[in-house]
Amino acid sequence: MSTGNIASKKSGGTVSNLTLCGTTLLLGAQSVAHAADTLKRDEKKKKTHDPAIHQQGRPLPAHEEIDVVGQWQHRSPKFTAPLLDTPKSVTIISRELLDQTASHTLVDALRNVPGITMGAGEGGNPVGDRPFLRGFDAQSSTFVDGLRDVGAQSRETFNVEAVEVIKGDSGAISGRAGAGGSIVIDSKMPRLKNSLDASLGFGNAGYKRGTLDGNWQFSRTGAFRLNLMGDDENKAGRGPTEFKRYGVAPSVSLGLGTPDRVTLMYYHMQNDDLPDVGIPYDNPTFNARTDGAPRLMTAGNGAPVKVPFDTWYGLVNRDSDQDSIDMGTLRLEHDFNSHLHIRNTTRYSETSQNDLWTMPDDSQGNIYYGYVYRRLNSRVSTFDTAINQTDFYGTVSLLGFRNQFSTGMEFTREQGKNDTDTAYVNGVNVASGTNFTHCATALAFTSHTCTTLSNPNPNDMWTGDIRRTGNPNSTRMDTKAVYLTDTVTFMPQLLGNFGVRLDNVQSTYRAQAGEYGRGDNLFTYQGGLVYKPARNGSIYASYATSAIPPGNSVGQGADDISLGADRTGNIGSVLKPERDRTIEVGTKWNVLHDRVTLTGALFQIDTTNFKIATASGGISNGGSKRTRGGEVGVSGHITRDWSMTAGYSYLDARLVQAGGSGAAAGLMNGRRAPNTPENSLALWNTYDITPGFKVGSGVYYMGKVYGADSPTAPKYVPGYWRFDIMASYRFLKHYTLQLNIQNLTNKRYFTQAYVTHYALQAAGRTAFVTLNAHF
């Protein structure tokens, strides 16, 4: 599916974007239909050397083709064909769609892609973005401008040009991980023009947000761009939850429009939040009390408990999330000619987290007596990445066939250091005994470590103290990789897409218990055939693989088992990498004079060497998983005034061999995989009522999502429908006033289902007005 249609600006001196396989062509104020007709008339073979492209960066090589509807904005040269001829499911979330839907975070943006869910955090699994693609954790498969960005964080979109979701195994393109796909974030970069965009918004729930995007051309080939953001908002209906963040992103480019270019970018984002803490499940597991307290609830079915919408179990005087990221990037580019290019990118980044937040723990059955244990979750971490990547790409003729190729190498060092904090009351470790965890003593309530299920007070003055646990650990991953991708034109109607990659990864885990290390050589590959029955359509079949080594998330997530020793002495150094493969068939068509793209795909993903617990409590590679599904999509201008971006996804993800220790061995075999909805849908429409007045509406559906599909103790969040609306009015040529109402019906629904303990509730109805200025 391709999401993110072309902007159709008919007046007001605005600019429309047509994307040319990674380069943006700026056109004047004209409709997409007229632009497409003009391009087809002027270039019968859809090739161009328009000088406007020089203003965006390198000249457009002769082999690159205009992809009018697809908005193929991928900055990575590893993709060697236009979107229409790429044998993968790819969704593009354009800047225009981000603005229309007021998607200010990555979580907001990914709502526009069906089949994606967000996983919840805990102590060892940090709070932050944890997307699941086709049922697979993709936290470690997130990239910024083509470079892996593993550090745990909650990402913003103020400096984002587009978000690309590449589905299916992508090991040959991105390296380790990538079973369900990858998420690629493209940053805003300098251009040879002068422009200024600013916005200021206010709304309910204390919503206040301002952004600035300025681009200044200071020489014939040089430009400077600056993006700023400040945001302060509550979460509608969710008690005292508050999110405060600010960001700054300057960048400068030299040599634009010439064969030699240099770009230097810096990004800083910082947040200071009072996090939402979620709602406990009505845990089917019941532990009877012996103190004579009356039982108030019967055993539930694993859904979140039914409490008032604004019930919040945290502690204002204890909870906080303080995270930051700093990222510096240097990119060097050279064009040997219009057919051959080289690019080198160097980056150093550091993310940090200092988080304290309350989990409404349901594990001891307190909820059946009307109590909740306010369990402290914490994380104190730093994570740094140093990476250098070189890409050599272009077009050559080999054995009489046209080859659009990309080859390169990558050297990466990733290192994370983690510790936690511990809660004490009267000098006693709260988590060390049953007095607090079972809400069994008066001190548990007078210290406000425990509270009531139905009427918690977020302003309770917790009387304990926080101490650094002092049990740090660190994980390091060193990667050396070489890769090659190639699109071969066997004949105008038949193309082949091939890719291979070899990664050498070395992992080291250090803790007080000892040091463990391992090394792996990961060979991944992909192959696909594309048949073009017509110029505007393609039918494809592909096969792709990926590999996930132990320690893959470098201590930043939960998509691996630690390299440290488990309770039986088995260590990660004896485990094998997880292996995945995707078989996919699909079709893509540009219709209605290339204004609309239609897509469809069927796929199967098989996972082997899945890491599971054994019956004796150890860890082995005996697990397997299978995901089967399909998706369809439509994106583009249905008429001159009506545009649509829509997609539907069906997923059947099963744990074939799920392991389990003791009596739980084999219990989950054949059950649904967590964080995978069977059905999901995303639809966004806009309609131009007049040249200056636009309205929009969004419909989002997500089926039931399991945290754990256990037959004895299930944990899940129910399915939901959500509706959004938008209206914008342009006036005085340079100004636009935009109204967004999200969750129009004030629907209570849940966005994250953790495997145990709690689910995260979404915001209620949120309305805000934004004044935008463009010069």
Side-chain angles (χ1 to χ4, degrees):
M1 187 186 82
S2 172
T3 303
N5 50 289
I6 294 171
S8 177
K9 310 292 186 181
K10 295 190 285 290
S11 65
T14 55
V15 174
S16 298
N17 290 342
L18 292 183
T19 301
L20 297 100
C21 197
T23 306
T24 302
L25 171 62
L26 296 182
L27 299 178
Q30 57 182 328
S31 70
V32 173
H34 176 67
D37 291 341
T38 301
L39 290 169
K40 288 189 290 184
R41 182 174 63 249
D42 291 345
E43 284 294 337
K44 187 175 181 180
K45 294 183 179 181
K46 300 178 72 179
K47 298 179 182 179
T48 184
H49 294 279
D50 193 303
I53 298 169
H54 290 261
Q55 297 184 359
Q56 298 307 304
R58 64 179 174 81
L60 182 67
H63 75 269
E64 293 196 317
E65 296 177 316
I66 297 170
D67 185 6
V68 174
V69 178
Q71 280 229 345
W72 186 236
Q73 292 185 328
H74 206 293
R75 305 289 175 90
S76 172
K78 297 174 186 176
F79 284 82
T80 52
L83 182 59
L84 186 68
D85 301 333
T86 298
K88 280 185 176 295
S89 295
V90 181
T91 300
I92 311 296
I93 308 171
S94 67
R95 181 71 246 179
E96 182 188 23
L97 186 61
L98 293 175
D99 290 338
Q100 289 179 357
T101 58
S103 296
H104 299 149
T105 66
L106 181 63
V107 173
D108 292 338
L110 295 179
R111 182 175 60 248
N112 296 287
V113 184
I116 294 184
T117 55
M118 304 304 295
E122 201 188 21
N125 179 31
V127 175
D129 300 335
R130 189 187 173 205
F132 279 72
L133 273 66
R134 290 183 174 176
F136 292 85
D137 194 328
Q139 179 176 342
S140 300
S141 298
T142 302
F143 298 79
V144 176
D145 300 320
L147 304 182
R148 190 185 303 273
D149 189 36
V150 173
Q153 58 188 283
S154 298
R155 291 176 170 84
E156 251 278 352
T157 63
F158 77 98
N159 192 46
V160 172
E161 194 67 53
V163 179
E164 299 153 15
V165 180
I166 304 157
K167 297 181 180 178
D169 283 292
S170 55
I173 298 171
S174 60
R176 72 177 197 267
S182 302
I183 295 170
V184 181
I185 301 169
D186 292 331
S187 301
K188 295 178 180 179
M189 293 187 178
R191 300 172 293 178
L192 288 181
K193 60 179 294 186
N194 292 318
S195 65
L196 183 65
D197 290 272
S199 70
L200 185 62
F202 297 92
N204 71 321
Y207 175 90
K208 299 175 289 292
R209 180 181 175 88
T211 63
L212 175 72
D213 181 359
N215 191 95
W216 296 273
Q217 180 178 345
F218 58 79
S219 71
R220 188 176 63 84
T221 64
F224 172 75
R225 192 165 186 175
L226 177 64
N227 276 270
L228 302 174
M229 176 276 300
D231 193 296
D232 184 353
E233 58 186 279
N234 301 332
K235 188 175 180 181
R238 294 301 302 138
T241 300
E242 183 176 17
F243 302 100
K244 295 181 179 180
R245 55 187 182 267
Y246 74 89
V248 55
S251 57
V252 62
S253 291
L254 301 173
L256 294 175
T258 74
D260 296 287
R261 298 171 300 282
V262 178
T263 299
L264 181 63
M265 299 179 285
Y266 173 71
Y267 177 88
H268 174 80
M269 206 273 282
Q270 187 167 319
N271 63 278
D272 185 1
D273 303 338
L274 182 60
D276 197 355
V277 298
I279 305 295
Y281 296 109
D282 57 0
N283 193 338
T285 302
F286 172 66
N287 296 320
R289 298 175 72 94
T290 59
D291 59 0
R295 179 174 175 177
L296 305 178
M297 291 174 56
T298 59
N301 61 0
V305 296
K306 296 180 180 180
V307 291
F309 195 105
D310 62 349
T311 304
W312 196 82
Y313 295 98
L315 289 158
V316 170
N317 77 322
R318 186 178 76 174
D319 294 357
S320 68
D321 283 350
Q322 296 176 329
D323 306 332
S324 68
I325 176 170
D326 290 275
M327 178 185 295
T329 306
L330 173 65
R331 174 168 290 175
L332 307 175
E333 299 175 274
H334 173 70
D335 303 323
F336 296 99
N337 51 47
S338 62
H339 298 283
L340 295 176
H341 320 274
I342 192 169
R343 183 172 82 179
N344 178 269
T345 307
T346 302
R347 172 177 294 160
Y348 178 80
S349 67
E350 182 175 295
T351 60
S352 65
Q353 291 190 308
N354 188 359
D355 300 342
L356 295 165
W357 58 284
T358 297
M359 174 187 287
D361 193 318
D362 70 336
S363 61
Q364 304 304 322
N366 293 311
I367 61 171
Y368 294 106
Y369 297 92
Y371 307 142
V372 168
Y373 163 46
R374 287 167 158 164
R375 169 181 157 183
L376 175 70
N377 271 14
S378 71
R379 183 177 180 86
V380 182
S381 72
T382 60
F383 184 83
D384 62 81
T385 300
I387 182 169
N388 181 269
Q389 182 173 288
T390 301
D391 297 288
F392 177 61
Y393 57 101
T395 302
V396 296
S397 179
L398 185 64
L399 301 177
F401 298 112
R402 183 179 181 228
N403 291 257
Q404 298 164 263
F405 76 95
S406 176
T407 185
M409 62 184 66
E410 174 187 318
F411 301 93
T412 303
R413 187 213 68 195
E414 301 162 285
Q415 182 168 291
K417 300 177 181 179
N418 305 309
D419 204 344
T420 59
D421 290 316
T422 300
Y424 287 82
V425 172
N426 287 358
V428 177
N429 184 337
V430 169
S432 64
T434 62
N435 288 342
F436 294 102
T437 60
H438 287 67
C439 299
T441 64
L443 183 60
F445 290 94
T446 58
S447 67
H448 302 297
T449 302
C450 288
T451 187
T452 62
L453 176 67
S454 59
N455 192 30
N457 182 1
N459 295 309
D460 284 338
M461 295 301 295
W462 185 66
T463 60
D465 63 286
I466 304 295
R467 304 178 191 176
R468 186 60 44 85
T469 303
N471 184 26
N473 65 75
S474 67
T475 307
R476 175 168 170 168
M477 178 81 76
D478 293 290
T479 302
K480 299 182 287 290
V482 293
Y483 47 84
L484 169 68
T485 57
D486 190 13
T487 296
V488 183
T489 303
F490 297 114
M491 59 182 67
Q493 295 81 26
L494 183 64
L495 291 78
N497 178 273
F498 309 100
V500 292
R501 179 170 173 134
L502 178 63
D503 287 78
N504 174 264
V505 295
Q506 300 288 330
S507 301
T508 305
Y509 174 82
R510 295 183 178 90
Q512 291 182 348
E515 178 176 320
Y516 310 95
R518 62 170 294 118
D520 292 287
N521 289 314
L522 310 176
F523 178 71
T524 52
Y525 56 92
Q526 67 180 33
L529 290 177
V530 179
Y531 172 64
K532 295 179 67 64
R535 172 198 62 81
N536 62 319
S538 65
I539 302 170
Y540 68 87
S542 65
Y543 181 94
T545 67
S546 65
I548 304 177
N552 173 63
S553 69
V554 202
Q556 294 295 292
D559 60 347
D560 65 79
I561 292 177
S562 171
L563 291 171
D566 64 24
R567 61 178 176 268
T568 66
N570 187 18
I571 62 173
S573 59
V574 303
L575 295 173
K576 300 176 182 178
E578 176 184 306
R579 295 286 179 174
D580 305 276
R581 66 176 187 181
T582 296
I583 300 172
E584 182 172 320
V585 295
T587 185
K588 304 176 184 181
W589 290 86
N590 290 345
V591 298
L592 296 180
H593 303 290
D594 288 345
R595 296 195 316 265
V596 175
T597 292
L598 304 176
T599 61
L602 298 172
F603 55 85
Q604 177 173 301
I605 305 175
D606 288 291
T607 299
T608 56
N609 288 349
F610 192 72
K611 293 176 279 292
I612 57 173
T614 64
S616 61
I619 302 172
S620 79
N621 287 109
S624 59
K625 176 181 175 181
R626 168 169 286 180
T627 301
R628 288 172 170 165
E631 54 193 35
V632 293
V634 56
S635 179
H637 283 260
I638 310 302
T639 69
R640 180 182 179 89
D641 298 313
W642 175 27
S643 67
M644 174 187 293
T645 297
Y648 165 78
S649 171
Y650 171 79
L651 294 171
D652 182 13
R654 301 284 175 171
L655 302 172
V656 180
Q657 293 291 332
S661 60
L667 187 68
M668 295 295 291
N669 290 353
R671 310 295 295 188
R672 287 198 169 274
N675 293 291
T676 310
E678 187 174 45
N679 297 283
S680 58
L681 176 146
L683 168 66
W684 180 257
N685 284 278
T686 62
Y687 190 84
D688 295 338
I689 296 177
T690 69
F693 183 39
K694 183 192 297 287
V695 294
S697 63
V699 180
Y700 305 96
Y701 172 75
M702 183 81 72
K704 177 191 288 188
V705 174
Y706 282 98
D709 184 25
S710 168
T712 58
K715 305 292 176 68
Y716 73 91
V717 295
Y720 67 87
W721 290 89
R722 167 178 156 166
F723 302 93
D724 293 359
I725 59 173
M726 180 275 293
S728 67
Y729 177 70
R730 187 173 63 249
F731 62 98
L732 298 179
K733 187 178 180 179
H734 297 290
Y735 301 94
T736 302
L737 199 63
Q738 180 170 313
L739 168 69
N740 286 87
I741 303 179
Q742 300 174 340
N743 192 8
L744 179 66
T745 62
N746 203 32
K747 171 72 175 180
R748 182 179 193 174
Y749 67 97
F750 296 84
T751 58
Q752 298 176 10
Y754 196 65
V755 64
T756 54
H757 306 318
Y758 81 103
L760 194 65
Q761 185 174 315
R765 183 187 299 112
T766 305
F768 46 91
V769 175
T770 304
L771 175 64
N772 301 295
H774 170 74
F775 297 92

